[in-house]
Every structure is written in C-alpha cells, then in structure tokens.
Amino acid sequence: MSKGLKIILSGGGTGGHIYPAIAIANELSNRYADIDILFVGAKDRMEMQKVPQAGYKIIGLWISGIQRKLTLSNLLFPLKLISSLLKSRKIIKTFKPDVVIGTGGFASGPLLRMASSKSIPTVIQEQNSFPGITNKWLAKNAHKICVAYDQMDRFFPASKVIKTGNPVRQDLLNTQEKRDLGLSEYNLDAQKKTILVLGGSLGARRVNQLIEKELIFFKSKDVQVIWQCGKLYYSEYEKYSDKGNVQVHKFLDKMDLAYAAADVIISRAGASSVSELCIVGKPVLFIPSPNVAEDHQTKNANAIVSQHGARMLGENELNENFENTISELLESKELQKQLSEAIKKMALPNATADIVDEIEKIIKKSIRN
C-alpha cells in the first residue's frame, strides 16, 4: 500500500450516518499508520461535534435537506447546493484524497459528486433497506456500494453492490456474556423481566408518550424498565425515575450492558439500531418513526419482521395492540426463542472490516492503474 494514504469521509445529520463513518475511519486508522483522514459534514449538524470528539478533523458545508413544505431553507437550497459544490471542489483539490467515502446525509451529496467529476474513486455505504435521494443520485458514478440488506439492486447497479452490513460497536459482539454485569450496572433484580426502551439519541416523542401512558401497566406486570428518553425529553420525563422498576435516562453510556440486561427491547428502526439489534439477538418490538424520508424505518423493520425476527407496531396501532404484543413478548418462551434465533441469522458482525476490505481493493486497483 502506498505511503501517505488520504481518505475523505462524509456523512452526517444523524448518528446513523455519523457513527458508521467514524467506525470506518477507526478501522482504516488501525490498519495504516501513515494515513490522513478528513471528514466533511454539514454546518450546524451533530457531526461537527461528534467527529472531533472521535479525534478527527472535519470541515463543514453550508447544506441542508429539502423540507416537505415550503420554507426559507427550501428557497435557499439551490444557493446552498452551489456553495457546497464549490467548497467540495476546493477541499478535494487541496486535500487530494485517494478515495472518498459517503455514509449518507446532506454533505455527502456534493462532496461525492465533485469527487466523481475529478475521477477520484468513491464508495457509498448505504445503511437502510430503502436508500435516500442522495445515495440514489450518487450511485451511478460510485465505484462500490456497500449495503446492509438483500435485493438492493432494485435501487443500485447490481455490479457495484456488495452486502457487508452496517458498522456496529464491537463491544456488542459478546453481550450474552455480560448479563450479570448489565444487571449490576443498572441495579436490576435478576428475578424480574427487564424492558429496554430506545428512542434514538435525541429521543422519540411518540415512544415516550407511550411509555408514560403504560407505566401502570408495566407495574402490574412487575417488570423493570430502562427508559432512554433522549436529551430533548429528559427534563419532561425524569420525574418517573423511581430508583426501582423505572429508570429514566437521557442517554445510555454503556449500551452493551443495557442490551445485556434486557429481556425485551422496544426500539425505533433506524438502520444502525436494527443492525445492532440483529447482533444482540433479543426479542424486539419495533415502533418505526413515520417522520422520515421514504418511510425507511418501516422498511428497515419489515426486513426483519418478514423473516420472523421481530414484532412491529405502527404508531397508529399502539393504543389498541401494544399491551397484548408486549405481554406475549414477555411471557412466551417459545416466541422469545423463535425471534432471537431468527434475528441473529441476519446479523453481519464483520461489517466494518468488510467495508474497509472493499475500500482497499479500490485503492490497490487505483495504484496499479
């Protein structure tokens, strides 16, 4: 491999785009001592904090997505796109990357487009079962498209698609061995069932409303609840944390131990969450967010549900069906076994290494040429 390898990674807007990019950067850094990695994100989005915290440089573009209704942001979009394309061209000219990798999000569009125009190899890492507009737009010129689901050639050129899975935290690979640690970390009673509720790093309004409404029901079932409500909602719901059966958390620092302690998990269906839950292998109830582009969370969840690996309820079904569904998940050992075995079959624990293997192939081919 040539010395002075230079890589640009672009992805952001949500943790589901940022953390896979950081995982890929970490794997590349572990393999190559002489490597220069630069991130490009969207100004004022969470990647501008998370990437430096992970130890990498980042440059921000003035870019945002198109809203579903008429807004000032939409009116400014053409100007933002032109600005971002021009800045991306300058970044590429100055940094001279060997490969540019996009993990989704607003900034990856102009950056990868400009890289392709300069004949620089590009790689797309698509986390969802239904790709967004940006990655569909970039696919034609991409050298390789790493995906997490089958049949993605419906959206992308089949010759470029390789199923690698989504990068996940490596500490999730052995959660089954950490149950006692998890119970101790969260001060839980081993004789009681534990439900873990996940709404994403920012939280999920409808999921939080559901849990609040069902607290009496959970008490009647004598179950323990680890409730990650998100930083946007913590001040509203922290009053329910009773140091007993209900624990309310802004976020969970030790996700591996939270997963290890759980008997049943209630979760949104973002791509990273789905990939993690496949590896963890616990019974899951997905409550997909309907407020995302192309309803991709429902499609992510359905990819698991269709293989009998989880249960799913839409937000409009919660009032009628939640208590019966969660009761069955808690009480039926046969269902628990079936779901756990099926969801584990869909796990791709070596995703990060496999993605970097594909990047290496492109670099080697580029050097030969």
Side-chain angles (χ1 to χ4, degrees):
M1 191 66 63
S2 65
K3 286 187 176 182
L5 190 63
K6 293 188 146 197
I7 304 288
I8 297 180
L9 286 123
S10 182
T14 67
H17 294 313
I18 298 165
Y19 297 124
I22 290 172
I24 292 167
N26 289 342
E27 178 69 16
L28 284 164
S29 297
N30 288 338
R31 294 191 190 191
Y32 305 109
D34 191 7
I35 187 170
D36 192 0
I37 295 175
L38 174 67
F39 279 73
V40 175
K43 285 182 179 178
D44 303 322
R45 301 297 297 225
M46 64 187 293
E47 58 264 30
M48 302 307 292
Q49 286 76 46
K50 297 297 182 183
V51 169
Q53 287 171 7
Y56 297 101
K57 299 170 291 185
I58 186 166
I59 297 173
L61 303 179
W62 186 44
I63 190 70
S64 60
I66 299 175
Q67 307 300 312
R68 297 183 184 184
K69 54 187 178 181
L70 185 62
T71 63
L72 177 61
S73 180
N74 275 356
L75 295 174
L76 289 172
F77 180 77
L79 185 59
K80 289 181 178 182
L81 181 58
I82 292 168
S83 169
S84 295
L85 285 167
L86 291 174
K87 189 166 184 179
S88 294
R89 183 172 68 181
K90 183 178 180 182
I91 291 168
I92 288 165
K93 184 178 180 180
T94 303
F95 190 74
K96 296 182 173 61
D98 296 289
V99 177
V100 175
I101 304 153
T103 60
F106 311 135
S108 64
L111 186 80
L112 268 71
R113 184 73 173 185
M114 196 54 67
S116 295
S117 75
K118 300 297 182 184
S119 300
I120 295 168
T122 62
V123 177
I124 293 171
Q125 198 266 314
E126 173 56 63
Q127 295 102 33
N128 293 295
S129 61
F130 195 96
I133 295 171
T134 300
N135 280 352
K136 287 181 183 177
W137 181 54
L138 296 169
K140 182 180 178 181
N141 295 315
H143 284 62
K144 189 68 67 175
I145 304 168
C146 298
V147 302
Y149 294 91
D150 294 322
Q151 300 178 340
M152 294 301 284
D153 53 2
R154 293 176 295 160
F155 311 107
F156 300 131
S159 62
K160 299 181 179 184
V161 172
I162 180 162
K163 186 180 178 184
T164 56
N166 289 325
V168 296
R169 289 168 278 211
Q170 295 303 293
D171 59 7
L172 301 183
L173 299 181
N174 59 345
T175 54
Q176 290 178 331
E177 301 167 13
K178 299 179 181 178
R179 183 164 176 81
D180 289 343
L181 281 174
L183 293 171
S184 175
E185 174 70 22
Y186 293 98
N187 196 27
L188 296 166
D189 185 342
Q191 303 306 311
K192 294 181 179 181
K193 296 282 188 180
T194 299
I195 297 175
L196 173 63
V197 182
L198 303 172
S201 56
L202 298 179
R205 164 66 70 184
R206 184 65 184 90
V207 173
N208 287 334
Q209 290 173 336
L210 169 74
I211 301 306
E212 180 182 37
K213 173 177 170 287
E214 300 293 346
L215 288 176
I216 294 173
F217 168 74
F218 292 141
K219 188 173 183 179
S220 73
K221 290 286 184 181
D222 198 26
V223 297
Q224 302 164 126
V225 181
I226 303 174
W227 179 5
Q228 184 259 316
C229 67
K231 67 178 183 181
L232 294 182
Y233 304 103
Y234 183 69
S235 61
E236 184 177 351
Y237 294 106
E238 64 176 322
K239 63 188 177 187
Y240 294 112
S241 200
D242 61 13
K243 297 183 180 179
N245 285 352
V246 179
Q247 299 180 28
V248 183
H249 298 265
K250 185 184 300 183
F251 53 84
L252 297 166
D253 288 325
K254 299 180 179 178
M255 277 302 306
D256 57 327
L257 299 185
Y259 281 133
D263 295 290
V264 173
I265 300 167
I266 299 169
S267 178
R268 285 302 204 192
S272 294
S273 296
V274 173
S275 296
E276 289 184 359
L277 291 166
C278 288
I279 288 171
V280 170
K282 298 286 180 76
V284 178
L285 171 61
F286 286 118
I287 304 175
S289 171
N291 307 312
V292 292
E294 310 287 355
D295 197 23
H296 68 250
Q297 285 205 8
T298 299
K299 296 177 175 72
N300 291 346
N302 194 56
I304 308 299
V305 173
S306 65
Q307 299 300 312
H308 311 291
R311 289 285 191 263
M312 173 172 62
L313 290 175
E315 289 189 353
N316 60 349
E317 302 175 280
L318 293 173
N319 289 339
E320 184 177 351
N321 297 324
F322 175 78
E323 291 184 3
N324 287 337
T325 302
I326 205 71
S327 294
E328 187 182 18
L329 287 172
L330 287 166
E331 295 164 9
S332 173
K333 291 184 178 180
E334 182 180 346
L335 178 61
Q336 292 164 9
K337 184 173 184 289
Q338 173 207 310
L339 295 178
S340 292
E341 289 177 353
I343 198 170
K344 282 179 186 176
K345 289 178 182 177
M346 303 185 74
L348 294 166
N350 300 316
T352 307
D354 290 345
I355 291 165
V356 174
D357 287 346
E358 295 302 317
I359 295 167
E360 283 188 340
K361 290 176 188 176
I362 291 170
I363 295 168
K364 289 176 181 177
K365 185 176 180 180
S366 178
I367 290 170
R368 286 199 301 270
N369 293 338

